[in-house]
Structure formats: structure tokens, C-alpha cells
Amino acid sequence: MGVVKMSRRVWVAGAVMSLALAGGATPLSSAEIEHRTDYSIRLSGLPVATATFRSAFNGNRYTISGSLQSAGLADIFSSTKGTTSVSGTVSRGRLHATNYSVNYKSGKRSRAIDVTFHNGNVITASMTPPRRKPKNWVPVSTADMRAVLDPISGLIIPEGSRVCPKTLPIFDGESRLDLKLSSKGTKPYSTKGFEGEVVVCGIRFVPKSGYRKGRDDVEYLRKLQTMEIWFAKAEGAKVYAPVYVQIPTKLGPVTVSATRFGG
């Protein structure tokens, strides 16, 4: 898995669908809660990127902003930087985005993605520059863009909801996929700002549309049975958010670990 492919999937929830807001919260006022989470991304134990997310909840509205930067040897071979932002409302036990955007640059390549939603349905989706579609491209239909979640909000689980939801229907601005989660119990976890039990979910990647049919990395992810994502509770914000993800690849495991969860 190349650095360009991996860093793109960090942002658009393909291979590395773990990067979402997380963290313990520090109240700013009686109405608003803000928190920060830092992540370390490694391939076979070697650092390849770091990411930071900041989020705020105010009543039933939320905003999330994040940044990613390549690190270690990956930064030497192909410097990668990206930013993302999402805003929306909390309702019916889910975070529902109204606006979602991603901007990233890896080497000389850059791309910007912007999506607007209304009641879970995609209203507009743009990618600049547009991607050239090969003949074996599986197109995204209008039906594929109904009742979907963006890849960041989709991985934040409000308190009182099922922490390992059976299906998360994700649209990242280009691809439509389902994440199938299953409960695998709890484990102890500690990092800066958090120490306690986390909820462990098995996770399956099911591509629906917006990808090249027969592509090796997509088929590899589709067949994986051993991916996991761990959720910790952010007490102040009353949500569960990812603190650890493990995804086996042909070059070794990709791991995404929270090095700071609030605090």
C-alpha cells in the first residue's frame, strides 16, 4: 500500500476508516463542549503519518476539523498533507452531516472533495480535479447517495446507541461503502487523557460503488475478516469515538492509535 493510497484512504474512509473525532472533553461554556484527539498512523510498526482532530458540540450541532501530515520515511519519499472539516446536527442517535470537505496533497498530486447533505441524502458532491473513470468503474447511483453518513461523523456513536452498529452506510464524496460492525467485547486501553475499558468491534469493508471493479486493494479489503476498531467513551461529549484501528495489509498491519484522547 503506497503512501498516496494510504493517506487518501485515511481521509475518505476506505482502508483507514478510523480517523474521526475522539477525545475527552473540556467544557468551554454551559452550552459548548470542545475536545481534541491526536493519532499516530503506522505501517508494520513504522510511523507513516500523524493526525489531529478538534471538535465542538453546541446543543444539537457539531463541527469537526482535522489535519494529517506524513511522518517518518513516508515523509521523505512523498510528503503528504491534508485537512478535513465536517459540520451537522445530532439526531435520532446519529451524527448527520450537512457539509463535509477534504483537501489533501501528496507530492505533486492534490485533490479537493466537497459534499453537502440534507436529512442524510447527498445534495451535491464534487471532486477537483475530477478523477478519470476507467471502463470497469462501478458508478455511484442516485439511490447509493440516500440515507448515508460521511466517513467522519459515521464513526462517532452517541451515548445510548449501539456502539458496534450492524451497518454504517458511508459516502466519502466518491465511493459508497458499507462498514459492517460486530461486537467483540471490551479491552483495557490507556493513552494521554484516557485510561479505562474500550468497546472492541470487528469490522468488515463492503464496497458498493465508486471504485474500479476488480481492483486488488479493494478486493483484499473486501475479504478481510480480522479488522478491528476500538471505541472509547468521551464522557463530556457523551459519545464513543475510535481510539485504535488495526487493518492487515500485504505489507504488514496498518494501525491507527490515539496518542491523546482529550486531556
Side-chain angles (χ1 to χ4, degrees), residues 129-194:
R131 188 180 302 280
R132 294 180 181 178
K133 303 295 194 300
K135 291 182 179 180
N136 57 347
W137 186 260
V138 181
V140 179
S141 68
T142 301
D144 288 334
M145 294 189 289
R146 294 174 182 159
V148 293
L149 303 165
D150 73 273
I152 294 180
S153 308
L155 289 174
I156 309 304
I157 314 297
E159 182 182 45
S161 302
R162 181 173 179 169
V163 179
C164 300
K166 290 183 178 180
T167 302
L168 294 173
I170 302 294
F171 178 71
D172 63 20
E174 179 182 37
S175 303
R176 171 69 175 82
L177 58 105
D178 282 345
L179 299 180
K180 303 282 189 179
L181 277 67
S182 58
S183 178
K184 298 183 70 175
T186 61
K187 289 185 178 180
Y189 187 85
S190 62
T191 190
K192 183 178 180 180
F194 177 86

Side-chain angles (χ1 to χ4, degrees), residues 13 24 72 101 107 125 173 193 214 255:
S101 66
T255 58

Side-chain angles (χ1 to χ4, degrees), residues 22-23 163 189 194 197-199 230-234 239-243 261:
V163 179
Y189 187 85
F194 177 86
E197 293 288 309
V198 297
V199 178
W230 301 2
F231 291 91
K233 186 178 180 181
V239 297
Y240 287 83
V243 290
F261 192 81

Side-chain angles (χ1 to χ4, degrees), residues 21-263:
L21 106 92
T26 302
L28 301 183
S29 68
S30 59
E32 188 172 47
I33 293 173
E34 185 177 82
H35 51 129
R36 167 183 170 172
T37 300
D38 298 334
Y39 290 98
S40 172
I41 305 161
R42 293 176 175 264
L43 174 62
S44 294
L46 299 175
V48 294
T50 59
T52 295
F53 283 79
R54 296 179 182 272
S55 61
F57 285 83
N58 194 333
N60 70 335
R61 297 203 58 84
Y62 70 93
T63 59
I64 306 165
S65 61
S67 62
L68 174 142
Q69 182 169 326
S70 53
L73 290 175
D75 193 50
I76 296 174
F77 290 111
S78 180
S79 177
T80 299
K81 293 182 179 180
T83 59
T84 186
S85 64
V86 60
S87 60
T89 59
V90 183
S91 64
R92 303 186 303 276
R94 299 291 324 158
L95 273 65
H96 296 279
T98 53
N99 298 279
Y100 165 74
S101 66
V102 173
N103 290 271
Y104 68 92
K105 183 176 182 180
S106 186
K108 296 181 179 180
R109 298 183 180 183
S110 62
R111 182 147 283 146
I113 296 172
D114 289 284
V115 185
T116 60
F117 300 83
H118 180 67
N119 292 332
N121 300 322
V122 176
I123 304 302
T124 63
S126 65
M127 175 180 287
T128 306
R131 188 180 302 280
R132 294 180 181 178
K133 303 295 194 300
K135 291 182 179 180
N136 57 347
W137 186 260
V138 181
V140 179
S141 68
T142 301
D144 288 334
M145 294 189 289
R146 294 174 182 159
V148 293
L149 303 165
D150 73 273
I152 294 180
S153 308
L155 289 174
I156 309 304
I157 314 297
E159 182 182 45
S161 302
R162 181 173 179 169
V163 179
C164 300
K166 290 183 178 180
T167 302
L168 294 173
I170 302 294
F171 178 71
D172 63 20
E174 179 182 37
S175 303
R176 171 69 175 82
L177 58 105
D178 282 345
L179 299 180
K180 303 282 189 179
L181 277 67
S182 58
S183 178
K184 298 183 70 175
T186 61
K187 289 185 178 180
Y189 187 85
S190 62
T191 190
K192 183 178 180 180
F194 177 86
E195 183 172 359
E197 293 288 309
V198 297
V199 178
V200 179
C201 307
I203 189 164
R204 296 286 308 280
F205 170 83
V206 182
K208 308 290 285 187
S209 58
Y211 68 98
R212 180 164 55 84
K213 189 175 182 179
R215 181 171 167 168
D216 288 345
D217 58 350
V218 173
E219 292 304 312
Y220 179 83
L221 285 169
R222 186 206 299 265
K223 295 175 182 177
L224 278 179
Q225 303 277 345
T226 55
M227 291 188 289
E228 286 187 354
I229 182 167
W230 301 2
F231 291 91
K233 186 178 180 181
E235 294 289 348
K238 297 183 179 179
V239 297
Y240 287 83
V243 290
Y244 180 79
V245 173
Q246 178 174 282
I247 304 170
T249 77
K250 295 178 181 179
L251 298 179
V254 171
T255 58
V256 183
S257 304
T259 57
R260 172 176 174 170
F261 192 81

